[in-house]
Each structure stands twice: as C-alpha cells, then as structure tokens.
C-alpha cells in the first residue's frame, strides 16, 4: 500500500532538507548528474516519495518511487540493479521532466478551473484535456533531440521502457480485476488505451506492430471508423503548440464526441487533479477506468501479448545499444570532478568590491568606461564612411600645403582649387538607434549574482543613451516593476535586491515592451531576459513574446549557469557569469546595426 499524498509531501520535504537515507542520497546525486546532461533538474529517489513520479516545477526536482520502479534498498546498496529497471526509471523521470518543460503553468490553472466547475461537462473536459496532454507534451519533448543522436536514442528508449513496464501493466491489472466482476468492455477504456498507446506510435516511442493484437479489440469495441478518427486526432494533437488552450480544448471535445459519454461521472474518475501549486504528480498511466473483454482475444490477453512483444523487441535493441552505458560512464566521470557542467555560480565579484546590497550609488570609473566602450561600438557600427570638407575660414585642421597651393594659384590668376582648412565628418547609415528591453530576474535563486544586476542595467542604459538609443528595464520576482523606461538617464547605479519567486516574468515583458518603439522596422529592437533559468512562462507573457516575434523583435533568454526548463523565447544563450550578458547584448545590437548599415550601403 503506497502512502497517501500528504505522507508523500512530508517525505519530499524531508528529502529536500537532506534527511534521506545515505544509500538513496548517493543514488540521487548520481542520477542528478546523469539527468543534468539532458535537462536542468535534480533527482531524489527513495521509498514513499511519490506515486511513481512527481516533479516540483519551482525547484526543478523530480521525485521517484524507488521500491516500485528500481529495486529494494538492499539491491541498491549492493549495486544489483537490472538494466531494464534503470531504463524504466529514467523513462518515468523524463516523462515528468517533459511535463515541466512543455506543460505550461496557465494550462494547468485552466484545467483546475474546469475541474472545479459546477458543470459536469466542463469537469469532463478537464479530464479529457489532461488525458490528451500526455502524448502532446511527450511528443514535443521527444522532438527536442534528433532521433539519430545519442541523447535522442536514450530518451526514446527510456520512454519506451516506461510505457511497457509501467503503463501497460496498469491496464492489465484493472482489466483482470473487471473480468472477475463480469463487466463488459467499455468504449471509455478502449479510448483511453488508444491515447496512452496508439498516440505514442506517432512520435516513435511505441512500434505500431506491437499493438496489432490490441487494434483488433479496439475496432471491435469502438468500430473501425472511430479508431481511424481517433488516430487522425492524435496525429494532430501531438503538434499542438505549448499553451494553446483553444486547440487542446477543441481536441478534447472531439475526442469525447468520438468515444461517447464517459462510463463514470467526472467526479468519480480516478485521474488525479493537479494540486493548487500547479505541480504535476501522477503514476504514468493512472486514471484508466476498468473494462473487460471476457473472451479469448480479450483486451487483457491482447495487452499481455503487447507487453511480451514490446519487451522482447526492446531487449534486442538494448543488446546492440550502448547509450545507457555511455551515459552512466559520463556520470561517473562527473562524480570524479571531470564534468564541465555549469552549477549556476558566477566567477566572483568584479574588482574585489563587496556586493552593493540594494544601495543606489554613483557609477565606478570602470563602469563609466564600459558604457563609453559600448556606445563607441554602436557608433562605429552605424558609420558608413567619412566625408572631407574644405573651408576657407578657420575651423577644423589647417593644411599648410593646401594654403600655399591656393596662394600660388591666386597669384597666377588661376581659379583657387584648394582651401587651407579641412574638417572630416562621419556619414551614418539611414537607420535609427536601438531600443532594448532588459528584464532582470530578482528571485531568491539570483542572490549569488546580486552584485552584478545593478551595474549591468546602468551600463546598458547609459551606453544606449549616448547614441540616442533607449533601454527600458523591468524587474520580476514576487511582482513586476519598471526600474527605468529609458526616457531619462540613470544618475545612479540601481541597487537591486533579490528574493521571492518568479511568477511575474510575463508582466515584466509587457512593461518594457510598452515603453519602447517595438513596431518600427527601421529600428533594431531586442528583448532580453536575464535569469538563472528558474522562471516559468505566463500566458500573457507568451502572447506578448509571440506578438513581438511577428514584428521581428527577438526575445533572448540569457540563462546563467544552466538552461531553463520551459521558457518561450526566440533564443536561449547560456552564460557562466552575469557579466557576459553585457557582451551578448553589445554583440547583438552591434551586429544588427552593422547588418542594416550594409543594406543601406548597397541601396
């Protein structure tokens, strides 16, 4: 009997505070090193931590139930782990991580709102949405890595093992229980099994041939036309973009239209609700209703055949694959200190100064120099060439030879062709100065970089203002606030304090983009988000990012130390120190100006 949800939460809290058996702690550290070659997550493995798998989005921690997925404590301590058990445990961990990467927070909130509705239809819609979200988000996660790459093969093999060893047995257990009760097969069960199994054939996690025996039963229960309609629906569901609520709602309604009325009222179905924090927690495949096929060739027999066939096929693959062993060797090298994986730490304080601790102050000389260098780079990028102008009157540079030649020509009665004074003027391209939006994460995880946040904002703002550009800066943590709209200079380097969460990044993006000229294509425009990767999208923020992308304005995520799990942006750049953000922003703006200068020169 697994512990209840409250007991699991207590176990997780204890594990987060280091109160985990040393055997499980060492195993968790080892698996974290492996998983972080794929995603920025931490793993905690132990008994009673979850109902198979759970991920906390805010801490990026995956909790795995060791007894069911992996092995007993004695087997783990002795190092006697089956390769198959290791692979399926990775599969469950990756499945949960893909939820954090591709299931948007506002989509979970939408499901919660539907599930709390007084309308039974909306409660059923929430259940069907969560059902279709399983293959949708997993398909996006699988496509993150090419199928012929080392990581791509490993992710697919692990997910295959999780499906065969975790999801299919759940169906078998429920169906065998219903056989004893004499319950007839249901359309609802057949439909749900196609979601968990047939949908996965569209992105290569399951071989279609494995399901041949099942397909006969599906056609008998649902009808051939409905099975084909469901298959067509899944082929489109797996391409629905992250956070597109309307399309997923429409797909869930279409699914229910094909399958028919549910066998149980929505409140009685075993699919667990997401908790109020929006975290995702479930055992893979949970929530299927029981059904029965009491004849030879029944659904239970077909599932058992599918399990045996899939396992045999995977064992043959694993005999020829070295992905798992290679990844384990890499992790062992990382434990010996050979890994180059970033840990989200900076390279130290600049020039030996202490952190500013939230106190506004005048800029230091090196910061003034940095702003001037940035402005000079921008000026050079905008300069097309020079033009020399000759003058009779003083002002500029005196040319003695030109003066003597002019006097000689005048004395000889010839027209004067030279003048003694010259000035050189730079000719700039017919483009406008850049507008840059800078969004800075001030959550508690950014405390290690607090010393650099204020200087970065001041240098970028001052450097752009020197050439007539503009930088609007916003901060986000437990709220969002505008630090500077770019219309005036920052007289002091702002003291930026850190602490809190990361729930208002979308609001900060809206704040800065409203203060800048984002619709002018003659002006280079950028939005930068400086964070340690630990923030999540909001629907409003994503809509604004996509609107900016339509206008040709890129949103660039400057992630310190480690890549983020789920952010909507045009480009992610991982940096090891916040000071590198200055170089990245300078390079991008200079490159944009130089490109426009080249186009202006050709025209």
């Amino acid at each position: 009997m697994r512990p209840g949800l409250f007991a699991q939460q207590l176990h997780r809290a204890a594990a987060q505070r280091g109160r985990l058996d040393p055997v499980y702690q060492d195993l968790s550290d080892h698996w974290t090193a492996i998983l972080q070659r794929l995603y920025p997550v931490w793993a905690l493995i132990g008994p009673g931590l979850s109902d198979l798998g759970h991920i906390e989005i805010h801490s990026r921690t995956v909790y795995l139930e060791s007894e069911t997925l992996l092995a007993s404590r004695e087997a783990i301590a002795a190092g006697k782990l089956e390769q198959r058990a290791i692979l399926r445990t990775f599969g469950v961990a990756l499945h949960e991580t893909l939820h954090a990467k591709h299931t948007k927070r506002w989509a979970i909130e939408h499901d919660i709102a539907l599930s709390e509705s007084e309308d039974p239809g909306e409660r059923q819609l929430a259940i069907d949405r969560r059902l279709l979200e399983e293959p949708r988000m997993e398909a996006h996660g699988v496509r993150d890595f090419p199928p012929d790459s080392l990581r791509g093969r490993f992710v697919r093999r692990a997910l295959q093992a999780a499906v065969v060893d975790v999801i299919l047995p759940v169906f078998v257990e429920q169906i065998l229980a219903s056989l004893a009760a004499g319950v007839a097969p249901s359309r609802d069960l057949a439909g749900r099994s196609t979601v968990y199994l047939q949908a996965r054939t569209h992105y290569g996690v399951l071989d279609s041939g494995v399901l041949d025996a099942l397909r006969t039963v599906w056609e008998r229960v649902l009808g051939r036309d409905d099975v084909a309609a469901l298959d067509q629906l899944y082929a489109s569901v797996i391409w629905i973009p992250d956070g597109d609520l309307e399309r997923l709602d429409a797909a869930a309604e279409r699914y229910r239209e094909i399958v028919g009325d549910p066998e149980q009222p929505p409140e009685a179905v075993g699919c667990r609700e997401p908790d109020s924090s929006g975290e995702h927690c479930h055992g893979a495949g949970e929530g299927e209703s029981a059904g029965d096929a009491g004849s030879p060739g029944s659904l239970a027999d077909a599932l058992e055949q599918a399990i045996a066939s899939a396992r045999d096929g995977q064992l043959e693959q694993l005999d020829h694959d070295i992905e798992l062993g290679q990844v384990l060797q890499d992790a062992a090298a990382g434990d010996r200190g050979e890994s180059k994986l970033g840990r989200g730490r900076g390279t130290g304080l600049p020039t030996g100064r202490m952190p500013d601790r939230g106190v506004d102050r005048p800029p230091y000389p090196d910061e003034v120099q940095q702003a001037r260098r940035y402005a000079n780079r921008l000026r050079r990028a905008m300069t097309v060439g020079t033009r020399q102008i000759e003058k009779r009157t003083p002002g500029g540079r005196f040319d003695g030879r030109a003066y003597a030649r002019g006097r000689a020509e005048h004395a000889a009665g010839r027209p004067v062709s030279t003048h003694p004074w010259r000035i050189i003027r730079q000719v700039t391209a017919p483009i406008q100065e850049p507008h840059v939006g800078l969004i800075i994460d001030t959550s508690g995880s950014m405390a290690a970089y607090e010393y650099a946040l204020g200087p970065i904002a001041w240098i970028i703002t001052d450097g752009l203002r020197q050439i007539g550009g503009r930088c609007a800066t916003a901060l986000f943590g437990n709220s969002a606030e505008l630090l500077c709209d770019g219309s005036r200079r920052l007289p002091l380097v702002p003291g930026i304090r850190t602490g809190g969460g990361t729930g208002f990044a979308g609001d900060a993006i809206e704040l800065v983009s409203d203060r800048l000229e984002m619709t002018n294509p003659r002006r280079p425009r950028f939005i930068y988000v400086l964070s340690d990767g630990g923030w999540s999208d909001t629907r409003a923020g994503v809509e604004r990012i996509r609107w900016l992308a339509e206008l040709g304005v890129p949103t660039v995520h400057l992630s310190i130390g480690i890549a983020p799990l789920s952010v909507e942006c045009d480009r992610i750049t991982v940096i090891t120190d916040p000071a590198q953000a200055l170089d990245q922003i300078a390079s991008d703006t200079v490159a944009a100006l130089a490109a426009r200068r080249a186009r202006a020169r050709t025209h």
Side-chain angles (χ1 to χ4, degrees):
M1 185 71 179
R2 294 196 182 101
L5 182 59
F6 179 70
Q8 291 174 2
Q9 291 173 342
L10 291 179
H11 292 321
R12 293 171 199 154
Q16 276 280 36
R17 289 165 174 78
R19 299 174 184 173
L20 198 62
D21 186 297
V23 171
Y24 295 118
Q25 188 64 59
D26 290 344
L27 182 68
S28 299
D29 293 342
H30 192 65
W31 279 50
T32 294
I34 298 173
L35 284 173
Q36 287 196 349
R37 279 154 178 77
L38 299 172
Y39 304 101
V41 296
W42 283 259
L44 285 173
I45 306 173
L49 293 182
S50 177
D51 191 4
L52 299 187
H54 171 83
I55 186 164
E56 285 181 350
I57 297 176
H58 68 276
S59 66
R60 292 177 286 177
T61 301
V62 178
Y63 298 94
L64 300 171
E65 210 290 314
S66 59
E67 298 286 342
T68 305
L69 290 175
L70 198 57
S72 65
R73 184 191 183 283
E74 292 74 19
I76 294 173
K80 298 179 179 179
L81 300 179
E82 296 181 3
Q83 187 183 40
R84 181 82 189 181
I86 295 174
L87 199 59
R88 70 167 171 258
T89 307
F90 270 118
V92 174
L94 291 172
H95 178 87
E96 295 301 322
T97 302
L98 295 180
H99 266 296
K101 184 171 176 59
H102 291 289
T103 300
K104 297 298 186 182
R105 178 66 67 96
W106 66 86
I108 297 175
E109 293 170 352
H110 180 63
D111 287 347
I112 294 174
L114 288 175
S115 65
E116 294 174 348
S117 171
E118 297 181 358
D119 183 358
E122 291 189 348
R123 294 199 297 273
Q124 183 61 48
L125 178 62
I127 293 171
D128 294 337
R129 276 178 47 85
R130 288 198 293 272
L131 181 65
L132 295 181
E133 177 67 10
E134 296 291 311
R136 190 210 66 81
M137 65 86 194
E138 195 173 273
H140 281 277
V142 165
R143 290 192 293 265
D144 287 342
F145 303 114
D148 57 347
S149 66
L150 180 67
R151 294 181 176 185
R153 290 196 298 272
F154 175 66
V155 169
R156 287 164 174 80
R157 296 288 185 272
L159 290 173
Q160 286 171 2
V163 172
V164 174
D165 288 6
V166 178
I167 294 178
L168 285 175
V170 170
F171 279 105
V172 172
E173 181 182 352
Q174 293 180 348
I175 292 169
L176 293 178
S178 66
L179 280 171
V183 180
S186 68
R187 290 180 61 87
D188 207 38
L189 172 63
R192 297 180 73 84
S193 63
T194 62
V195 175
Y196 278 97
L197 302 173
Q198 177 62 26
R200 283 182 161 95
T201 65
H202 286 281
Y203 51 93
V205 166
L206 267 184
D207 182 15
S208 181
V210 172
L211 303 177
D212 287 342
L214 273 171
R215 205 165 282 112
T216 302
V217 179
W218 289 338
E219 292 178 355
R220 186 187 315 146
V221 175
L222 296 170
R224 180 170 298 181
D225 292 342
D226 285 345
V227 171
L230 287 173
D231 189 58
Q232 186 177 7
L233 176 65
Y234 303 149
S236 62
V237 163
I238 63 173
W239 293 101
I240 294 177
D242 294 344
D244 193 336
L245 304 184
E246 290 74 16
R247 289 183 60 182
L248 193 58
D249 282 344
E253 292 169 355
R254 174 59 179 156
Y255 167 80
R256 184 50 55 189
E257 178 185 336
I258 296 171
V259 174
D261 295 334
E263 298 299 315
Q264 303 178 32
E267 46 271 301
V269 179
C271 187
R272 179 173 301 165
E273 306 284 349
D275 59 36
S276 59
S277 66
E279 310 296 356
H280 186 82
C281 174
H282 68 88
E286 77 177 14
E288 296 83 355
S289 58
D292 173 33
S295 60
S298 67
L299 191 54
D301 293 337
L303 284 168
E304 290 175 344
Q305 294 174 21
I307 292 175
S309 175
R311 282 181 175 166
D312 290 343
Q314 277 205 315
L315 287 175
E316 292 178 5
Q317 292 174 345
L318 290 172
D319 286 340
H320 296 90
D321 286 347
I322 61 170
E323 285 85 352
L324 182 60
Q326 183 64 47
V327 172
L328 291 171
Q329 290 176 12
D330 291 344
D335 292 342
R336 294 192 298 269
E338 301 171 14
S339 173
K340 298 181 180 179
L341 183 67
R343 293 295 176 185
R345 294 291 181 268
T347 57
L349 305 181
T351 66
R353 294 195 299 268
M354 294 297 291
D356 300 319
R357 300 307 301 167
V359 178
D360 292 354
R361 58 167 176 80
Y364 291 113
D366 58 342
E367 293 163 350
V368 174
Q369 187 180 33
Q370 284 277 6
R372 287 175 179 169
R373 287 176 178 172
Y374 177 37
N376 288 335
R377 289 183 63 184
L378 295 175
R379 289 193 187 97
R380 286 195 297 270
M382 296 177 67
T383 300
V384 174
T386 59
R387 183 172 61 192
Q388 182 172 286
I389 302 173
E390 294 183 350
K391 301 172 57 184
R392 292 187 177 90
T393 58
R397 183 175 180 180
F398 180 77
D399 188 338
R401 296 182 65 182
Y403 173 77
R405 186 182 303 113
R407 295 289 293 177
E409 290 172 344
H410 180 72
R414 296 195 300 268
V416 177
S417 60
T418 61
H419 301 288
W421 297 93
R422 292 180 181 178
I423 59 173
I424 297 176
R425 289 180 178 173
Q426 292 182 339
V427 181
T428 58
I431 57 177
Q432 299 178 9
E433 296 77 9
H435 276 200
V436 174
L438 178 62
I439 295 104
I440 298 177
D441 180 2
T442 59
S443 62
S445 60
M446 291 286 288
Y449 318 114
E450 187 179 85
Y451 67 91
L453 303 182
I456 288 173
W458 187 89
I459 291 170
I460 296 297
T461 301
D462 194 73
L464 284 168
R465 278 192 56 79
Q466 289 184 38
I467 67 161
R470 177 180 291 190
C471 176
T473 305
L475 312 177
F476 72 95
N478 281 337
S479 62
E481 68 172 304
L482 191 67
L483 178 68
C484 175
D485 64 2
S487 62
R488 57 183 178 83
R489 64 183 295 270
L490 285 174
L492 300 175
V493 175
I496 297 177
R497 299 296 298 268
T498 59
T502 54
F504 293 88
D507 296 331
I509 292 173
E510 289 186 279
L511 281 176
V512 298
S513 60
D514 286 340
R515 274 25 179 225
L516 301 172
E517 191 178 10
M518 295 282 102
T519 58
N520 184 358
R522 293 176 62 85
R523 186 186 299 282
R525 298 145 295 156
F526 296 91
I527 298 291
Y528 290 93
V529 181
L530 178 61
S531 171
D532 63 349
W535 64 279
S536 58
D537 289 330
T538 62
R539 189 179 187 185
V542 168
E543 290 175 352
R544 180 56 61 95
I545 289 170
R546 292 175 180 172
W547 174 77
L548 291 170
E550 292 175 357
L551 297 173
V553 183
T555 300
V556 182
H557 182 70
L558 302 176
S559 184
I560 306 174
I562 196 166
L565 268 181
S566 174
V567 293
E568 184 89 8
C569 59
D570 296 275
R571 188 173 78 242
I572 296 175
T573 301
V574 178
I575 58 180
T576 58
D577 190 274
Q580 294 177 355
L582 291 172
D583 295 332
Q584 187 64 50
I585 295 173
S587 298
D588 288 347
T589 49
V590 168
L593 289 171
R596 291 169 184 265
R597 179 190 66 183
R599 288 198 295 270
R601 184 179 290 168
T602 58
H603 295 306

